[in-house]
Amino acid sequence: MESLWLEDLNIGDRFRTEEYEITREEILAFAGQYDPQPFHLDETAATDTFFQGLAASGWHTAAITMRLIVTSGLPFATGIIGAGVELTWPTPTRPGDFVHAELTVTEIKVSRSQPDRGFITVAYDTLTRSGQVRQRTTATLLMFTRTTPTGPAEVPQR
């Protein structure tokens, strides 16, 4: 898909990422480094917790979702530049889940003081194949227009 600029977007535009399989080993590795709680690290200990079984850290789910959005979800010309986010985890992410994200542009605001940029709001869910919502997110993203008053917008190098 072609790279998109601020002026290419409309409220209601929808995007869908590719799918990603979450493995037990990946859950354990992420939790061991970043969220070392028993329900993320030990299947036996997790059985007697609120989660009633091994569950990925919400931050792990968020990181996977971000990867999906960057690699297959939002083809923004200058990258995904976050300005703010709200997220919830309504159900636990489990080993063996295949997840993808579905995104909708809900708001677009062009800056009055800097017309070469603006902010968009994107609402998205991270879903399993069966439609269970693992993460619900609303993000405000900084975007740039295709041109600035002095010429083409500068694209950050990756």
Side-chain angles (χ1 to χ4, degrees):
M1 180 177 245
E2 185 180 327
S3 292
L4 300 176
W5 299 85
L6 182 62
E7 64 267 28
D8 298 325
L9 295 175
N10 296 292
I11 293 174
D13 284 351
R14 295 181 54 80
F15 301 89
R16 180 190 163 116
T17 69
E18 294 174 348
E19 199 171 64
Y20 184 88
E21 181 181 10
I22 299 168
T23 67
R24 175 188 172 279
E25 294 73 25
E26 186 177 18
I27 289 172
L28 297 175
F30 185 95
Q33 186 154 2
Y34 300 108
D35 193 355
Q37 299 186 74
F39 39 81
H40 300 319
L41 288 171
D42 183 313
E43 289 163 294
T44 304
T47 304
D48 295 327
T49 69
F50 167 81
F51 295 104
Q52 299 179 340
L54 189 65
S57 167
W59 299 113
H60 187 189
T61 304
I64 290 167
T65 301
M66 184 66 190
R67 178 185 173 90
L68 287 169
I69 290 170
V70 169
T71 61
S72 66
L74 296 176
F76 294 168
T78 58
I80 316 267
I81 304 168
V85 68
E86 292 180 29
L87 57 87
T88 61
W89 299 290
T91 61
T93 302
R94 304 284 188 187
D97 277 353
F98 285 82
V99 297
H100 69 278
E102 295 180 8
L103 307 93
T104 303
V105 176
T106 60
E107 188 173 17
I108 301 171
K109 290 183 182 177
V110 177
S111 172
R112 283 183 235 154
S113 62
Q114 296 178 299
D116 67 327
R117 67 195 66 186
F119 292 93
I120 68 163
T121 302
V122 182
Y124 52 97
D125 289 336
T126 305
L127 304 156
T128 66
R129 282 183 174 169
S130 63
Q132 295 175 310
V133 178
R134 296 302 195 220
Q135 179 175 295
R136 182 157 280 150
T137 311
T138 302
T140 302
L141 306 174
L142 173 65
M143 285 199 67
F144 293 89
T145 61
R146 188 173 273 104
T147 58
T148 66
T150 59
E154 197 169 306
V155 178
Q157 299 299 312
R158 291 185 181 195

